[in-house]
Amino acid sequence: MSGERSAERPGSPGPASGDRGDSKGQDSKEDSRQELAMCLGINEVKSRAVVKYSAAPPPATYALLQEKTDLKLPPANWLRESTQLGPAGTTVLGSSSKSKPFSSFGMAYDFIDSIGDDVDVVSDSENIKKLLKIPYSKSHVSMAVHRVGRTLLLDELDIQELFMRSSQTGDWTWLKEFYQRLVDQKWQRKKKSKEQWYQRAILSKFLYYSINGDGAAEPVSNDLDEASRSGEEEPGAGELGPSWPATFASPASEPEDPEADKEDSVPLEFALGHVDSSLKEQNLPTLFNEGENSQGLRNDFVRNILWTFEDIHMLVGSNMPIFGGGRYPAVSLRLRDNNKPINVLTGIDYWLDNLMCNVPELVMCFHVNGIVQKYEMIKTEDIPDLENSNFSTRVVKDIAQNILSFLKSNCTKEGHTYWLFKASGSDIVKLYDLTTLCEEAAEEKCQNPFTLPVAVLLYKVASNMMMKKNQNRKHYGTIRTLLLNCVKLLDHDRHPQIIASANYMLSELFQLDEPVEGGEEALRGGGSEDSYSEEEDEEEEELPEDSDENGSYSTSSDPPDDSKAVAIIRSVGELSVPEKYKSTHQIRPSYVFPVSPDKEERCRHVLSYVLKGLKAVDSSIKKESDLPAADPNTPIPLKYEEGSQSAGPSTVEKDMALFLDRAPSREDFKHPTRSGMIPGSWQHRMKLQLFLKASRAYYVLSDAATNLLKYGRALRYIKLALQCHDAYCAVSPGLHPEVLLFHSQCLALCGDIQLMLAQNASNRAAYLEEYSYQTREDQEILHCLHRESSCQAFNLATDLATDPEYQLTVSCKCYEAAHELLTSGDLKEQSPEQLAQVLKRLGNIRNEMGVFYMNQAAAVQTENTVTRAVSAAEQELWKKSFSCFEKGMKDFEAIGDATNTALLLCNTGRLMRICAQAHCAVTSDLRRGEFSPEEALYYNKAIDYYLRAMKSLVRRESHAVVWDSVNWELSTTYFTLATLQQDYAPLSRKAQEQIEREVTEAMVKSLKYCDLHTESARQPLYQYRAATIHHRLASMYHSCFRNQVGDEHLRKQHRGLAELHYSKAVRLFHILKDAPCELLRTQLERVAFAEFQMAGQNSNTTKLKTLRGALEIMAETRHAFQLIHRELLEEQSQVDPPDRGTEGTGSPDPAASSGLNTQEVQRLVAVFEPSFSFLLLQLVKLTTATKRKPSGAHEEELVKTYKQLYSTLLRADKAAPLPGRVELILSLLGQLGPGTSGGDSEAS
């Protein structure tokens, strides 16, 4: 807290006088925060005091009364209000004439930052003194003890006054009976003696005389006064500067509750940022109209001091008047009867008062029968050595440490009221748990007046910890325990606001969208609701019952009432033994926050707290709702009927406008809401927060279900999230940007789910089952939502439909609504990342819809096999598909996504190819007609889109997969265009030469995009296509060569090109090894090409050379026939498996599974056999018909072989099974051998 002051004794010239509003200038003058020890011979204690707040003016110089002044006579200013004396003027120093059992709570409320962690004890200074004097005093002690975190709150519990009240109210009768039965059987109220009243009166008159309020008193000399003032102006006395009136809470204008002004300006930082909320209505007066001021809940002390005594940190309240004068600018003033010596109790009293207030000197005024005799000044450090008042400061320190350890070890349950009691004249101190005794009482409901203040304090400490932004999650366990205990203590019907707020804070502890660290340990740790930590119990159990370390257990010789006590101190003398009651508990207890790593479990925790909060709010709304009473046992139907689908996507366009029209007008909030809430009330603000929290929890649940592919469950959760948002809109006067941002996330997720449902239509039955299921908690939350809204606004978006087109349309509209939210108003510049994500999703859904319509068009085209005319429905589908692709491209271009832009351009190219296929001409006999100009137009458009896609990607490295895909489609389109032009040449419109030129150009371009070198899954496909292109080009040039007449140069060119492409085609088909038919066909065409050349040759030698070349080609077909033979055998083994059981039915070879076209093989064999026979016959004729005889045995052997082969072919059975014929051909080709083609003879 800013402006804290500290000063220590001895050494500082005055008290630690400051207030909560000290200026920074004063702070800069003070360097007295070092710890100074009071040295008393061998005794040594450390004391340090920091004034946190002071309502007193700077110390005024006391008036030195003349000798023989009669204190029995009242001064003129007697009993008038005095800022110098405060309440002490009408009381015995610091102890109020009327007991205030809640004084510690008043201090705790004012200094909430210190409670729970920094401070060990909060109490009135009189209570602290009474505790530390227990071993020296025979008087009774009765105190209430409460625990909050590591802090203990001590308050006087005046049993006599309590029982006097109980006789009128009926409360505490159980305690009265218990007290009379077990503690004091002859109880009666003791009255104060006349002597006590007399002593109080003369003390009060003495103090009024001393503030120089009456002429009968003579002031101290001017010299002393000047010395005092000069002392105040010394630099060392900077802490005595003008610090009154206090700026934090001036006593003159203090409101009924200082928290009201203080917390008004504190935002609820732990709440969601969009809610304009403060703690104005969550402070003490508005939460509890229980007459708290009369109960002493206000902090009425003149000063509040943070006193550190050794290692004990205490926040104490003191009313002791402090004066100026003497050797120091601050002294305490005491009145003593000269005939009565100072005893130990009085000495300890004076010493502790001065230590707490950091007063360095005591001024004692002695009187006899009210007549002033003399003054004596005593230093604070000398008080323990006064005659008749000797005591050891170290013993007092040991007493303090033992009592604190005893209380901390045994007062372990937050929210419980403990009673520390010592009867008059007794040496036994007992600690009772009044909360447990109250629960055991026979009455139905016993009232504990401490319950309410304790609950409020627990709430305030938790709230304060939540608001500290620098807190980390290690405090969440503490906050949770505080709030659970707070809720447990309160009556839900009487305090709905704090119940609702506490449950909301509990829900805020669970981080919904972040990963959990150390979840396993947290789950194991649990976290008790009312106990400090489980480790304490374990450690206590290890101690034996008769252990000296533990004074908490009874023995068999104990009196019977010990069974009711939580703990007992056998003898007050034990408190003087150093570390006798050394604490066996953790000084800083560790609450474990039980966080599960499972998102769904965390969300369920959140929703359970939200539901409790909503119930608390609803219970506080007085006006009955006009809605019929909802039965939480009756589930609210989630609509998934087919009616929404029957309307079709066209209806969706209109209905989806509801998505954006959810911002209510201000006029709606001039009147109570549907449930009767008044706008601006705490119920209104709390419901806003709870609705939004529930919406976030359901969003996270939906997201988690989506990741698990549970799309039915995901749709149910996102429906609930949007229903919560709908209820939020119904009660909110406006939508904060953060709420709109979250709403756009919900719509985007809803779009994702609908898209997934459309893509996984086969699992609809499972999704419907998930969607229809509802937990009781969800039903109850839904009923709470229905108190404010019908929650129908997003039904269309969250229905489970059967029509994929409807689901895709809904998904697209969800994304469009999210996009419109993000590009309007305050969100335009706030969330560029989310906008990019939504645009990406929008582009994706438009691509999906474009593909959907494109596939539908292709299906229509396939079904239309009769007329082959383009229908209007087909054209409409093309338009829809093209429109979706075009919009999707714009979305991806807006975010610079080149890869997805290329994909959409690629899909548009595919659409153009489907359009081209639809425009193919059909003759009257339903045969394919010539290649039409419309086909050419659409194929060229497709090529343009593919080229644009390549340009968008720039290079393959940008995205190899997409690049390869576009490259393949482009090559395919060129190939298809060339093939159709070649096979269905538009000769009615174009010349043969032009067609050949265009085909060649398209084939070459297709070949250009065949990536033969990159190893990929498509490499064999590229190789096959390249081989096919070369084969087709070779066939085309072969045809040109046959049909060309006249121009020998052109014929020669065509012959060379045909031979070139044939050789390339054969090489590529040979590499493939899975295209034997294509390889064989190409080789046979080469043989035919050679035969055609031979027919035009005149020389027998040239013819013989050509024939031998053709025979070499025939010999090369052996490879193709081997592949064909193997596949035929494998197919035969699958059709007729051997008798080897299941072994022969194993998975077939991949080559066999591909399937061999046996009809094609038969046709090729039918071509091969006569061609082979013709070659052999011609070779025999030419070899034997030449003028010269065969030039050797080798040539004769060749002729003999040719004749033998020819004879075998002639006798072959043409009706034999195909495998046998192929086997025969392989045998014949094998006999040709390396030299049988006649290559050697040519050299001769």
Side-chain angles (χ1 to χ4, degrees), residues 370-431:
I371 306 300
V372 174
Q373 302 296 313
K374 63 177 181 177
Y375 280 85
E376 185 177 335
M377 305 186 88
I378 306 165
K379 289 183 178 180
T380 302
E381 58 262 39
D382 295 336
I383 295 174
D385 298 324
L386 290 177
E387 189 179 353
N388 299 320
S389 177
N390 287 346
F391 61 90
S392 167
T393 58
R394 295 190 67 178
V395 170
V396 175
K397 175 207 64 167
D398 291 336
I399 295 167
Q401 290 173 334
N402 279 325
I403 289 176
L404 179 64
S405 295
F406 173 76
L407 291 175
K408 282 204 167 184
S409 294
N410 296 291
C411 301
T412 56
K413 296 182 179 180
E414 283 180 312
H416 280 228
T417 299
Y418 292 90
W419 178 30
L420 185 72
F421 178 77
K422 183 179 89 73
S424 298
S426 172
D427 279 347
I428 299 175
V429 182
K430 299 175 185 178
L431 184 71

Side-chain angles (χ1 to χ4, degrees), residues 846-985:
R846 283 169 172 163
N847 177 51
E848 291 288 337
M849 291 180 73
V851 170
F852 176 80
Y853 290 127
M854 180 169 66
N855 290 339
Q856 276 196 326
V860 170
Q861 183 179 311
T862 306
E863 291 168 5
N864 186 13
T865 55
V866 183
T867 61
R868 302 296 294 174
V870 179
S871 65
E874 203 172 348
Q875 287 184 327
E876 187 62 31
L877 288 169
W878 293 345
K879 287 177 183 177
K880 285 183 178 180
S881 179
F882 182 76
S883 172
C884 291
F885 287 141
E886 205 167 37
K887 288 176 182 176
M889 279 186 273
K890 288 179 181 176
D891 294 329
F892 286 127
E893 284 168 1
I895 57 174
D897 190 339
T899 305
N900 280 313
T901 304
L903 277 173
L904 262 76
L905 285 164
C906 191
N907 281 338
T908 312
R910 185 178 157 218
L911 176 65
M912 295 298 109
R913 284 161 61 191
I914 290 173
C915 294
Q917 290 165 15
H919 283 88
C920 74
V922 180
T923 61
S924 58
D925 56 353
L926 300 181
R927 292 183 180 179
R928 177 73 163 84
E930 288 185 351
F931 185 67
S932 66
E934 290 83 4
E935 285 181 275
L937 173 68
Y938 281 114
Y939 276 120
N940 284 313
K941 280 187 176 182
I943 288 167
D944 288 341
Y945 282 114
Y946 289 132
L947 289 172
R948 280 176 61 189
M950 298 285 278
K951 189 177 179 182
S952 173
L953 290 170
V954 182
R955 62 180 69 85
R956 185 175 187 274
E957 289 73 19
S958 57
H959 202 292
V961 176
V962 178
W963 176 276
D964 291 344
S965 178
V966 175
N967 198 65
W968 169 257
E969 295 295 337
L970 184 56
S971 173
T972 302
T973 308
Y974 274 123
F975 178 72
T976 307
L977 177 64
T979 304
L980 289 172
Q981 280 185 299
Q982 188 178 20
D983 294 347
Y984 307 100

